[in-house]
PDB file of all heavy atoms in Angstrom:
ATOM      1  N   CYS B  44      -7.140  13.532  -4.733  1.00  0.00           N
ATOM      2  CA  CYS B  44      -7.266  12.191  -5.296  1.00  0.00           C
ATOM      3  C   CYS B  44      -8.653  12.057  -5.923  1.00  0.00           C
ATOM      4  O   CYS B  44      -9.649  12.485  -5.320  1.00  0.00           O
ATOM      5  CB  CYS B  44      -7.067  11.165  -4.177  1.00  0.00           C
ATOM      6  SG  CYS B  44      -7.234   9.446  -4.660  1.00  0.00           S
ATOM      7  N   TYR B  46     -11.340   9.287  -8.079  1.00  0.00           N
ATOM      8  CA  TYR B  46     -11.547   7.877  -8.397  1.00  0.00           C
ATOM      9  C   TYR B  46     -12.701   7.746  -9.371  1.00  0.00           C
ATOM     10  O   TYR B  46     -13.538   8.646  -9.499  1.00  0.00           O
ATOM     11  CB  TYR B  46     -11.776   7.051  -7.129  1.00  0.00           C
ATOM     12  CG  TYR B  46     -12.994   7.444  -6.317  1.00  0.00           C
ATOM     13  CD1 TYR B  46     -14.206   6.771  -6.467  1.00  0.00           C
ATOM     14  CD2 TYR B  46     -12.923   8.480  -5.378  1.00  0.00           C
ATOM     15  CE1 TYR B  46     -15.310   7.111  -5.720  1.00  0.00           C
ATOM     16  CE2 TYR B  46     -14.021   8.827  -4.633  1.00  0.00           C
ATOM     17  CZ  TYR B  46     -15.213   8.146  -4.798  1.00  0.00           C
ATOM     18  OH  TYR B  46     -16.319   8.492  -4.052  1.00  0.00           O
ATOM     19  N   PHE B  51     -16.288   1.766  -4.951  1.00  0.00           N
ATOM     20  CA  PHE B  51     -15.337   1.934  -3.839  1.00  0.00           C
ATOM     21  C   PHE B  51     -16.081   2.485  -2.628  1.00  0.00           C
ATOM     22  O   PHE B  51     -16.887   3.426  -2.750  1.00  0.00           O
ATOM     23  CB  PHE B  51     -14.216   2.899  -4.220  1.00  0.00           C
ATOM     24  CG  PHE B  51     -13.228   2.353  -5.204  1.00  0.00           C
ATOM     25  CD1 PHE B  51     -12.659   3.187  -6.161  1.00  0.00           C
ATOM     26  CD2 PHE B  51     -12.826   1.028  -5.170  1.00  0.00           C
ATOM     27  CE1 PHE B  51     -11.737   2.702  -7.070  1.00  0.00           C
ATOM     28  CE2 PHE B  51     -11.899   0.531  -6.077  1.00  0.00           C
ATOM     29  CZ  PHE B  51     -11.361   1.381  -7.027  1.00  0.00           C
ATOM     30  N   ASP B  52     -15.808   1.909  -1.465  1.00  0.00           N
ATOM     31  CA  ASP B  52     -16.496   2.392  -0.263  1.00  0.00           C
ATOM     32  C   ASP B  52     -15.540   2.642   0.902  1.00  0.00           C
ATOM     33  O   ASP B  52     -15.970   2.915   2.020  1.00  0.00           O
ATOM     34  CB  ASP B  52     -17.581   1.389   0.163  1.00  0.00           C
ATOM     35  CG  ASP B  52     -17.026   0.018   0.499  1.00  0.00           C
ATOM     36  OD1 ASP B  52     -15.784  -0.159   0.514  1.00  0.00           O
ATOM     37  OD2 ASP B  52     -17.841  -0.894   0.734  1.00  0.00           O
ATOM     38  N   TYR B  53     -14.258   2.563   0.617  1.00  0.00           N
ATOM     39  CA  TYR B  53     -13.279   2.735   1.687  1.00  0.00           C
ATOM     40  C   TYR B  53     -12.026   3.334   1.074  1.00  0.00           C
ATOM     41  O   TYR B  53     -11.548   2.830   0.044  1.00  0.00           O
ATOM     42  CB  TYR B  53     -12.991   1.374   2.314  1.00  0.00           C
ATOM     43  CG  TYR B  53     -12.123   1.397   3.554  1.00  0.00           C
ATOM     44  CD1 TYR B  53     -12.450   2.191   4.647  1.00  0.00           C
ATOM     45  CD2 TYR B  53     -10.992   0.595   3.647  1.00  0.00           C
ATOM     46  CE1 TYR B  53     -11.662   2.202   5.787  1.00  0.00           C
ATOM     47  CE2 TYR B  53     -10.203   0.598   4.785  1.00  0.00           C
ATOM     48  CZ  TYR B  53     -10.546   1.396   5.845  1.00  0.00           C
ATOM     49  OH  TYR B  53      -9.763   1.407   6.981  1.00  0.00           O
ATOM     50  N   PHE B  54     -11.537   4.400   1.700  1.00  0.00           N
ATOM     51  CA  PHE B  54     -10.422   5.140   1.111  1.00  0.00           C
ATOM     52  C   PHE B  54      -9.354   5.362   2.175  1.00  0.00           C
ATOM     53  O   PHE B  54      -9.665   5.606   3.344  1.00  0.00           O
ATOM     54  CB  PHE B  54     -10.919   6.491   0.561  1.00  0.00           C
ATOM     55  CG  PHE B  54     -12.048   6.344  -0.410  1.00  0.00           C
ATOM     56  CD1 PHE B  54     -13.367   6.347   0.014  1.00  0.00           C
ATOM     57  CD2 PHE B  54     -11.790   6.190  -1.770  1.00  0.00           C
ATOM     58  CE1 PHE B  54     -14.416   6.192  -0.887  1.00  0.00           C
ATOM     59  CE2 PHE B  54     -12.825   6.039  -2.679  1.00  0.00           C
ATOM     60  CZ  PHE B  54     -14.137   6.033  -2.239  1.00  0.00           C
ATOM     61  N   ILE B  71     -11.119   6.709   5.476  1.00  0.00           N
ATOM     62  CA  ILE B  71     -12.482   7.201   5.573  1.00  0.00           C
ATOM     63  C   ILE B  71     -13.411   6.224   4.875  1.00  0.00           C
ATOM     64  O   ILE B  71     -13.094   5.713   3.793  1.00  0.00           O
ATOM     65  CB  ILE B  71     -12.604   8.632   4.992  1.00  0.00           C
ATOM     66  CG1 ILE B  71     -13.995   9.214   5.298  1.00  0.00           C
ATOM     67  CG2 ILE B  71     -12.319   8.667   3.495  1.00  0.00           C
ATOM     68  CD1 ILE B  71     -14.097  10.709   5.035  1.00  0.00           C
ATOM     69  N   SER B  72     -14.519   5.959   5.503  1.00  0.00           N
ATOM     70  CA  SER B  72     -15.555   5.131   4.905  1.00  0.00           C
ATOM     71  C   SER B  72     -16.466   6.017   4.068  1.00  0.00           C
ATOM     72  O   SER B  72     -16.620   7.207   4.338  1.00  0.00           O
ATOM     73  CB  SER B  72     -16.353   4.448   6.006  1.00  0.00           C
ATOM     74  OG  SER B  72     -17.559   3.929   5.511  1.00  0.00           O
ATOM     75  N   SER B  73     -17.098   5.409   3.074  1.00  0.00           N
ATOM     76  CA  SER B  73     -17.955   6.196   2.188  1.00  0.00           C
ATOM     77  C   SER B  73     -19.212   6.726   2.874  1.00  0.00           C
ATOM     78  O   SER B  73     -19.931   7.545   2.313  1.00  0.00           O
ATOM     79  CB  SER B  73     -18.350   5.364   0.970  1.00  0.00           C
ATOM     80  OG  SER B  73     -19.050   4.202   1.368  1.00  0.00           O
ATOM     81  N   ILE B  74     -19.484   6.268   4.090  1.00  0.00           N
ATOM     82  CA  ILE B  74     -20.656   6.784   4.795  1.00  0.00           C
ATOM     83  C   ILE B  74     -20.349   8.111   5.493  1.00  0.00           C
ATOM     84  O   ILE B  74     -21.232   8.744   6.048  1.00  0.00           O
ATOM     85  CB  ILE B  74     -21.200   5.772   5.821  1.00  0.00           C
ATOM     86  CG1 ILE B  74     -20.164   5.473   6.913  1.00  0.00           C
ATOM     87  CG2 ILE B  74     -21.623   4.497   5.119  1.00  0.00           C
ATOM     88  CD1 ILE B  74     -20.721   4.610   8.033  1.00  0.00           C
ATOM     89  N   LYS B  75     -19.075   8.495   5.463  1.00  0.00           N
ATOM     90  CA  LYS B  75     -18.681   9.755   6.079  1.00  0.00           C
ATOM     91  C   LYS B  75     -18.186  10.722   5.013  1.00  0.00           C
ATOM     92  O   LYS B  75     -17.852  10.327   3.891  1.00  0.00           O
ATOM     93  CB  LYS B  75     -17.560   9.517   7.091  1.00  0.00           C
ATOM     94  CG  LYS B  75     -17.966   8.687   8.292  1.00  0.00           C
ATOM     95  CD  LYS B  75     -16.831   8.631   9.303  1.00  0.00           C
ATOM     96  CE  LYS B  75     -17.264   7.880  10.548  1.00  0.00           C
ATOM     97  NZ  LYS B  75     -16.177   7.850  11.562  1.00  0.00           N
ATOM     98  N   ASP B  76     -18.115  12.001   5.365  1.00  0.00           N
ATOM     99  CA  ASP B  76     -17.523  12.963   4.445  1.00  0.00           C
ATOM    100  C   ASP B  76     -16.273  13.619   5.012  1.00  0.00           C
ATOM    101  O   ASP B  76     -15.598  14.392   4.333  1.00  0.00           O
ATOM    102  CB  ASP B  76     -18.534  14.019   3.997  1.00  0.00           C
ATOM    103  CG  ASP B  76     -19.181  14.724   5.177  1.00  0.00           C
ATOM    104  OD1 ASP B  76     -18.624  14.662   6.287  1.00  0.00           O
ATOM    105  OD2 ASP B  76     -20.254  15.332   4.998  1.00  0.00           O
ATOM    106  N   LYS B  77     -15.956  13.286   6.254  1.00  0.00           N
ATOM    107  CA  LYS B  77     -14.772  13.878   6.873  1.00  0.00           C
ATOM    108  C   LYS B  77     -14.278  12.962   7.989  1.00  0.00           C
ATOM    109  O   LYS B  77     -15.088  12.388   8.737  1.00  0.00           O
ATOM    110  CB  LYS B  77     -15.129  15.260   7.437  1.00  0.00           C
ATOM    111  CG  LYS B  77     -14.010  15.962   8.180  1.00  0.00           C
ATOM    112  CD  LYS B  77     -14.505  17.284   8.755  1.00  0.00           C
ATOM    113  CE  LYS B  77     -13.460  17.955   9.626  1.00  0.00           C
ATOM    114  NZ  LYS B  77     -13.959  19.232  10.204  1.00  0.00           N
ATOM    115  N   ASN B  78     -12.962  12.857   8.065  1.00  0.00           N
ATOM    116  CA  ASN B  78     -12.349  12.153   9.185  1.00  0.00           C
ATOM    117  C   ASN B  78     -11.079  12.889   9.570  1.00  0.00           C
ATOM    118  O   ASN B  78     -10.272  13.248   8.712  1.00  0.00           O
ATOM    119  CB  ASN B  78     -12.033  10.697   8.819  1.00  0.00           C
ATOM    120  CG  ASN B  78     -11.610   9.880  10.031  1.00  0.00           C
ATOM    121  OD1 ASN B  78     -11.942  10.223  11.163  1.00  0.00           O
ATOM    122  ND2 ASN B  78     -10.894   8.800   9.803  1.00  0.00           N
ATOM    123  N   VAL B  85      -9.086  14.007   6.271  1.00  0.00           N
ATOM    124  CA  VAL B  85      -9.455  13.552   4.934  1.00  0.00           C
ATOM    125  C   VAL B  85     -10.914  13.942   4.684  1.00  0.00           C
ATOM    126  O   VAL B  85     -11.774  13.780   5.555  1.00  0.00           O
ATOM    127  CB  VAL B  85      -9.229  12.035   4.753  1.00  0.00           C
ATOM    128  CG1 VAL B  85      -9.981  11.225   5.790  1.00  0.00           C
ATOM    129  CG2 VAL B  85      -9.607  11.596   3.360  1.00  0.00           C
ATOM    130  N   PHE B  86     -11.148  14.509   3.517  1.00  0.00           N
ATOM    131  CA  PHE B  86     -12.476  14.910   3.083  1.00  0.00           C
ATOM    132  C   PHE B  86     -12.881  14.040   1.892  1.00  0.00           C
ATOM    133  O   PHE B  86     -12.073  13.808   0.988  1.00  0.00           O
ATOM    134  CB  PHE B  86     -12.485  16.387   2.653  1.00  0.00           C
ATOM    135  CG  PHE B  86     -12.204  17.348   3.774  1.00  0.00           C
ATOM    136  CD1 PHE B  86     -10.905  17.765   4.029  1.00  0.00           C
ATOM    137  CD2 PHE B  86     -13.236  17.830   4.558  1.00  0.00           C
ATOM    138  CE1 PHE B  86     -10.630  18.662   5.058  1.00  0.00           C
ATOM    139  CE2 PHE B  86     -12.976  18.730   5.590  1.00  0.00           C
ATOM    140  CZ  PHE B  86     -11.673  19.144   5.846  1.00  0.00           C
ATOM    141  N   LEU B  87     -14.132  13.602   1.899  1.00  0.00           N
ATOM    142  CA  LEU B  87     -14.653  12.785   0.813  1.00  0.00           C
ATOM    143  C   LEU B  87     -15.875  13.450   0.198  1.00  0.00           C
ATOM    144  O   LEU B  87     -16.832  13.766   0.907  1.00  0.00           O
ATOM    145  CB  LEU B  87     -15.011  11.382   1.323  1.00  0.00           C
ATOM    146  CG  LEU B  87     -15.656  10.435   0.321  1.00  0.00           C
ATOM    147  CD1 LEU B  87     -14.709  10.139  -0.844  1.00  0.00           C
ATOM    148  CD2 LEU B  87     -16.077   9.136   1.003  1.00  0.00           C
ATOM    149  N   ASN B  88     -15.839  13.623  -1.096  1.00  0.00           N
ATOM    150  CA  ASN B  88     -16.971  14.149  -1.854  1.00  0.00           C
ATOM    151  C   ASN B  88     -17.405  13.059  -2.829  1.00  0.00           C
ATOM    152  O   ASN B  88     -16.834  12.909  -3.910  1.00  0.00           O
ATOM    153  CB  ASN B  88     -16.563  15.426  -2.594  1.00  0.00           C
ATOM    154  CG  ASN B  88     -17.722  16.038  -3.358  1.00  0.00           C
ATOM    155  OD1 ASN B  88     -18.689  15.369  -3.723  1.00  0.00           O
ATOM    156  ND2 ASN B  88     -17.646  17.327  -3.606  1.00  0.00           N
ATOM    157  N   LYS B  89     -18.404  12.286  -2.418  1.00  0.00           N
ATOM    158  CA  LYS B  89     -18.800  11.125  -3.219  1.00  0.00           C
ATOM    159  C   LYS B  89     -19.395  11.519  -4.558  1.00  0.00           C
ATOM    160  O   LYS B  89     -19.186  10.845  -5.563  1.00  0.00           O
ATOM    161  CB  LYS B  89     -19.779  10.258  -2.429  1.00  0.00           C
ATOM    162  CG  LYS B  89     -19.121   9.377  -1.399  1.00  0.00           C
ATOM    163  CD  LYS B  89     -20.155   8.562  -0.657  1.00  0.00           C
ATOM    164  CE  LYS B  89     -21.008   9.457   0.190  1.00  0.00           C
ATOM    165  NZ  LYS B  89     -21.975   8.734   1.035  1.00  0.00           N
ATOM    166  N   SER B  90     -20.156  12.589  -4.572  1.00  0.00           N
ATOM    167  CA  SER B  90     -20.786  12.988  -5.831  1.00  0.00           C
ATOM    168  C   SER B  90     -19.737  13.363  -6.867  1.00  0.00           C
ATOM    169  O   SER B  90     -19.907  13.126  -8.055  1.00  0.00           O
ATOM    170  CB  SER B  90     -21.764  14.134  -5.606  1.00  0.00           C
ATOM    171  OG  SER B  90     -21.078  15.263  -5.083  1.00  0.00           O
ATOM    172  N   ALA B  91     -18.630  13.935  -6.399  1.00  0.00           N
ATOM    173  CA  ALA B  91     -17.548  14.316  -7.317  1.00  0.00           C
ATOM    174  C   ALA B  91     -16.511  13.208  -7.454  1.00  0.00           C
ATOM    175  O   ALA B  91     -15.563  13.353  -8.243  1.00  0.00           O
ATOM    176  CB  ALA B  91     -16.880  15.593  -6.830  1.00  0.00           C
ATOM    177  N   LYS B  92     -16.661  12.127  -6.680  1.00  0.00           N
ATOM    178  CA  LYS B  92     -15.673  11.054  -6.654  1.00  0.00           C
ATOM    179  C   LYS B  92     -14.278  11.634  -6.393  1.00  0.00           C
ATOM    180  O   LYS B  92     -13.304  11.387  -7.130  1.00  0.00           O
ATOM    181  CB  LYS B  92     -15.688  10.232  -7.939  1.00  0.00           C
ATOM    182  CG  LYS B  92     -16.974   9.446  -8.168  1.00  0.00           C
ATOM    183  CD  LYS B  92     -16.803   8.457  -9.310  1.00  0.00           C
ATOM    184  CE  LYS B  92     -18.045   7.657  -9.549  1.00  0.00           C
ATOM    185  NZ  LYS B  92     -19.169   8.472 -10.066  1.00  0.00           N
ATOM    186  N   HIS B  93     -14.208  12.395  -5.348  1.00  0.00           N
ATOM    187  CA  HIS B  93     -12.986  13.121  -5.029  1.00  0.00           C
ATOM    188  C   HIS B  93     -12.729  13.062  -3.534  1.00  0.00           C
ATOM    189  O   HIS B  93     -13.654  13.178  -2.721  1.00  0.00           O
ATOM    190  CB  HIS B  93     -13.131  14.587  -5.474  1.00  0.00           C
ATOM    191  CG  HIS B  93     -11.962  15.444  -5.118  1.00  0.00           C
ATOM    192  ND1 HIS B  93     -10.830  15.520  -5.897  1.00  0.00           N
ATOM    193  CD2 HIS B  93     -11.741  16.259  -4.044  1.00  0.00           C
ATOM    194  CE1 HIS B  93      -9.957  16.341  -5.332  1.00  0.00           C
ATOM    195  NE2 HIS B  93     -10.495  16.809  -4.222  1.00  0.00           N
ATOM    196  N   LEU B  94     -11.464  12.854  -3.191  1.00  0.00           N
ATOM    197  CA  LEU B  94     -11.094  12.995  -1.792  1.00  0.00           C
ATOM    198  C   LEU B  94      -9.802  13.799  -1.688  1.00  0.00           C
ATOM    199  O   LEU B  94      -9.047  13.903  -2.666  1.00  0.00           O
ATOM    200  CB  LEU B  94     -10.964  11.646  -1.065  1.00  0.00           C
ATOM    201  CG  LEU B  94      -9.924  10.644  -1.486  1.00  0.00           C
ATOM    202  CD1 LEU B  94      -9.585   9.748  -0.304  1.00  0.00           C
ATOM    203  CD2 LEU B  94     -10.433   9.759  -2.608  1.00  0.00           C
ATOM    204  N   SER B  95      -9.621  14.380  -0.530  1.00  0.00           N
ATOM    205  CA  SER B  95      -8.428  15.178  -0.321  1.00  0.00           C
ATOM    206  C   SER B  95      -7.899  14.958   1.087  1.00  0.00           C
ATOM    207  O   SER B  95      -8.647  14.622   2.004  1.00  0.00           O
ATOM    208  CB  SER B  95      -8.717  16.668  -0.563  1.00  0.00           C
ATOM    209  OG  SER B  95      -9.701  17.130   0.337  1.00  0.00           O
TER     210      SER B  95
END
Side-chain angles (χ1 to χ4, degrees):
Chain B
C44 178
Y46 61 96
F51 288 145
D52 61 6
Y53 187 54
F54 305 90
I71 189 167
S72 165
S73 60
I74 62 173
K75 294 186 176 182
D76 55 18
K77 177 183 174 181
N78 190 23
V85 57
F86 295 92
L87 176 63
N88 182 336
K89 281 180 292 185
S90 61
K92 294 191 179 67
H93 176 84
L94 63 155
S95 61

